[in-house]
Amino acid sequence: MYEMVVGLEVHAQLQTKAKVFAPEAVTFGERPNRYVSVVSLGYPGTLPVLNRACVEAAVRLGLALGCEIATEFYFSRKNYFYPDLPKGYQITQEAAPIARKGEVWVRLPEGTRHRVGIERLQLEEDTGKSLHDQDPFDTLLDFNRAGIGLVEIVSEPDIRTPQQAMAYLAHIRRLVRFLGICDGNMEEGSLRCDANISLRKQGDSSFGTRVEIKNLNSISALGKALEYEFARQVELIERGEKVLRETRTWDGMRTVPLREKETADDYRYFPEPDLPPVRLPASHIHELAASLPQLPDALFEEMVTVQGLSIDEATLLTEDRPYAEYFLALIRLKVAPKVAASWINGAIRAYLNAQAVAMEAFPLPPQRLAELISMVENRQISLTAAREEIFPLLVAEPEREPMDIAREKDLLLLQDSHQMDTWIAEVLAENPEKVETYRRGKTGLLGYFVGQVVRRSGGKADPREVQRRIAEKLA
Ligand code: ADP
Ligand code: MG
């Protein structure tokens, strides 16, 4: 039996205002080559200047990954020729990265946790983008992306299953979103993942030859590519062939060879002469540590153990920070945690999906929703009316009072208990045989009586209250 050994390299594009060594704006989807300066193009006589915001983002992520943060680090030049690399080299980190030796405990679907070590976290610049589909004959180049700050997070080869790999990637995506340093959008490439995978016989302590898989543009693609590549390598080994050290790409169905791996020496790394080494005072690192928001793992634990949410509910709410924040805001407004979770994961998500809106842009302030929820709790309106009738109107006009909408739509439940008792008495009087049958033990008839009373009220009587009163009367 073989087991897979996997280590992931994850790149997160930093959502800072400016690029990491150049002044132009960080953008996505803009007209090509609008946000390009002479620095990013490597014109002679230009010099890079390190963007402090990028360093801080990298340090915050390093801290969130439990890494040791370097109080002194420097950049290196990685030299290679490629059309999307106008300078002919990439400024990156090699011997002295910003952070090392972290760890994460990823949460698996079955509820267990698995440790994945973080080898290093480094700051570097992105390349431009080759556009293969804009012109029938030529590949075009867009340098808007060239020079945008990236952090690369390199894991130890501690991953053993596709599920662990997917959970690890989801964990990183959650973290960068919570820290607000990257939107984690894999389709748009702001979060990218390369997977290194090798095989060994179960029980072996040494590693086999690894293959690197590129272009994994979703979490599920990562899982599928690892399954496929595992099967491919097993077959090679069983046939007595060797696994080649190569870079492959995932085409959606299979992994196909891209190129044989260059050795590290080919890049002729050397310390970047245009940038001085960076000193990061310990006090500054402490400040950044103190500024970290509550991290998703801690929030998840709190939601499950203190607030009593299910694992599924808490997982959904910690997927991205705006959900968690909305939840916490509702809790502060005294909404019961279970109720808050079911509104967010139910009605709100349904609305966001239907409108293709992100949670950040959800228009209804938590106070308004809390008012609506309290009207349900106080039995002024039914949950169905709140969810299906008032909620959509409230989202469309968040400045309106839920109570006004309820009045206008005539959705207020009957508060008059005397009137309710009259109807109940009428219904019971009209159905003497059914009352007899009920009294003999056919308690299923309760629903029938409730239905009759609610109908008589024109839908205004609260079914739960009616049920309680009838049961009391017939007891
Ligand atoms: P490179 O520059 O070749 O991409 P890195 O050091 O950036 O190398 O990344 C190497 C990645 O490969 C790490 O995530 C590491 O855990 C993983 N790795 C190293 N050896 C193996 C192996 N034998 N099998 C699987 N993954 C490995
Ligand atoms: Mg690498």
Side-chain angles (χ1 to χ4, degrees):
M1 275 306 273
Y2 296 95
E3 72 172 355
M4 63 170 76
V5 171
V6 174
L8 299 183
E9 297 167 71
V10 177
H11 287 91
Q13 215 177 47
L14 297 176
Q15 283 174 329
T16 41
K17 286 206 188 77
K19 294 181 178 179
V20 56
F21 303 116
E24 63 268 26
V26 168
T27 58
F28 178 83
E30 291 289 334
R31 219 178 84 203
N33 298 312
R34 271 187 92 135
Y35 297 88
V36 187
S37 72
V38 288
V39 181
S40 298
L41 292 178
Y43 276 30
T46 62
L47 287 173
V49 176
L50 176 60
N51 181 348
R52 179 191 184 101
C54 293
V55 173
E56 294 186 341
V59 170
R60 280 154 47 85
L61 181 56
L63 288 165
L65 290 167
C67 291
E68 292 171 11
I69 309 295
T71 48
E72 206 172 320
F73 58 87
Y74 62 85
F75 292 91
S76 294
R77 259 188 207 186
K78 179 179 180 177
N79 299 281
Y80 64 97
F81 174 79
Y82 204 74
D84 65 15
L85 189 74
K87 297 203 297 263
Y89 60 86
Q90 177 196 30
I91 304 180
T92 177
Q93 297 196 288
E94 194 216 8
I98 283 195
R100 314 175 182 262
K101 294 194 196 145
E103 62 169 15
V104 298
W105 286 85
V106 300
R107 209 164 50 232
L108 298 168
E110 66 267 22
T112 56
R113 289 190 176 254
H114 175 80
R115 183 191 180 278
V116 180
I118 305 291
E119 186 186 312
R120 53 197 272 129
L121 182 149
Q122 67 192 38
L123 181 57
E124 58 192 34
E125 58 180 339
D126 209 344
T127 60
K129 214 155 131 183
S130 303
L131 307 173
H132 303 291
D133 54 0
Q134 304 285 306
D135 183 280
F137 304 107
D138 296 308
T139 289
L140 304 182
L141 292 163
D142 175 11
F143 292 114
N144 284 348
R145 199 177 74 172
I148 293 182
L150 286 181
V151 285
E152 178 176 356
I153 306 137
V154 183
S155 87
E156 299 282 356
D158 288 344
I159 295 164
R160 296 289 175 272
T161 65
Q163 288 69 34
Q164 291 171 5
M166 292 191 286
Y168 172 84
L169 185 53
H171 182 100
I172 303 279
R173 186 175 65 178
R174 238 181 347 256
L175 268 188
V176 296
R177 285 177 171 170
F178 263 73
L179 295 173
I181 64 179
C182 169
D183 64 17
N185 189 329
M186 295 192 69
E187 299 94 90
E188 291 180 359
S190 40
L191 190 74
R192 288 168 243 158
C193 172
D194 302 333
N196 295 271
I197 164 171
S198 63
L199 252 59
R200 65 178 175 187
K201 284 241 170 66
Q202 230 138 25
D204 275 7
S205 56
S206 60
F207 291 150
T209 304
R210 72 171 143 129
V211 163
E212 183 172 351
I213 313 171
K214 294 205 173 280
N215 292 332
L216 301 165
N217 58 7
S218 69
I219 291 181
S220 71
L222 168 65
K224 287 187 202 138
L226 289 177
E227 305 258 8
Y228 178 91
E229 183 59 21
F230 179 71
R232 190 188 71 88
Q233 293 187 15
V234 168
E235 214 180 290
L236 280 178
I237 294 172
E238 300 275 85
R239 277 206 307 257
E241 289 174 37
K242 277 212 158 65
V243 174
L244 286 183
R245 172 79 196 279
E246 62 181 353
T247 302
R248 301 175 73 88
T249 177
W250 174 246
D251 72 3
M253 295 289 286
R254 55 187 72 81
T255 66
V256 291
L258 205 59
R259 58 173 184 265
E260 283 197 19
K261 184 77 185 175
E262 304 92 323
T263 59
D265 291 346
D266 285 345
Y267 292 127
R268 294 179 205 283
Y269 281 104
F270 58 83
E272 169 59 55
D274 288 343
L275 285 164
V278 182
R279 275 207 190 88
L280 203 60
S283 59
H284 191 180
I285 299 174
H286 292 317
E287 267 166 44
L288 290 169
S291 78
L292 290 182
Q294 195 175 14
L295 296 178
D297 263 350
L299 268 173
F300 177 89
E301 287 303 324
E302 191 183 308
M303 285 177 185
V304 172
T305 57
V306 182
Q307 277 133 7
L309 299 189
S310 71
I311 287 184
D312 286 347
E313 286 170 328
T315 303
L316 281 170
L317 290 176
T318 49
E319 204 46 61
D320 204 349
R321 195 156 146 198
Y323 291 104
E325 276 172 356
Y326 206 92
F327 172 77
L328 294 175
L330 286 177
I331 300 288
R332 279 193 294 273
L333 292 161
K334 305 280 177 280
V335 176
K338 278 276 183 192
V339 174
S342 91
W343 273 92
I344 298 172
N345 292 335
I348 295 185
R349 269 180 200 274
Y351 166 85
L352 298 175
N353 288 341
Q355 307 289 315
V357 170
M359 186 64 199
E360 289 94 306
F362 181 60
L364 190 62
Q367 296 83 304
R368 276 278 180 276
L369 182 57
E371 279 173 41
L372 181 62
I373 292 172
S374 87
M375 285 168 63
V376 176
E377 302 292 308
N378 296 335
R379 323 228 111 272
Q380 290 165 301
I381 48 173
S382 72
L383 177 60
T384 315
R387 211 168 37 202
E388 266 139 50
E389 313 226 22
I390 304 185
F391 176 78
L393 295 169
L394 206 52
V395 174
E397 290 179 275
E399 59 294 330
R400 291 195 65 186
E401 296 282 342
M403 184 54 100
D404 286 347
I405 300 180
R407 274 203 200 97
E408 186 189 294
K409 293 268 149 192
D410 198 18
L411 292 168
L412 286 177
L413 289 175
L414 182 84
Q415 299 293 321
D416 182 345
S417 53
H418 182 71
Q419 174 65 69
M420 212 181 286
D421 285 339
T422 312
W423 284 326
I424 290 173
E426 285 171 16
V427 167
L428 296 183
E430 282 162 23
N431 295 282
E433 332 75 50
K434 289 212 169 64
V435 171
E436 258 320 292
T437 327
Y438 176 90
R439 287 218 159 98
R440 267 187 266 116
K442 238 187 143 215
T443 49
L445 275 167
L446 193 54
Y448 170 80
F449 298 134
V450 173
Q452 290 299 306
V453 174
V454 171
R455 182 177 307 167
R456 200 159 291 229
S457 76
K460 288 274 159 296
D462 173 10
R464 275 209 278 174
E465 181 60 14
V466 172
Q467 171 159 351
R468 197 183 62 77
R469 282 171 183 272
I470 298 180
E472 208 177 84
K473 272 212 173 69
L474 295 181

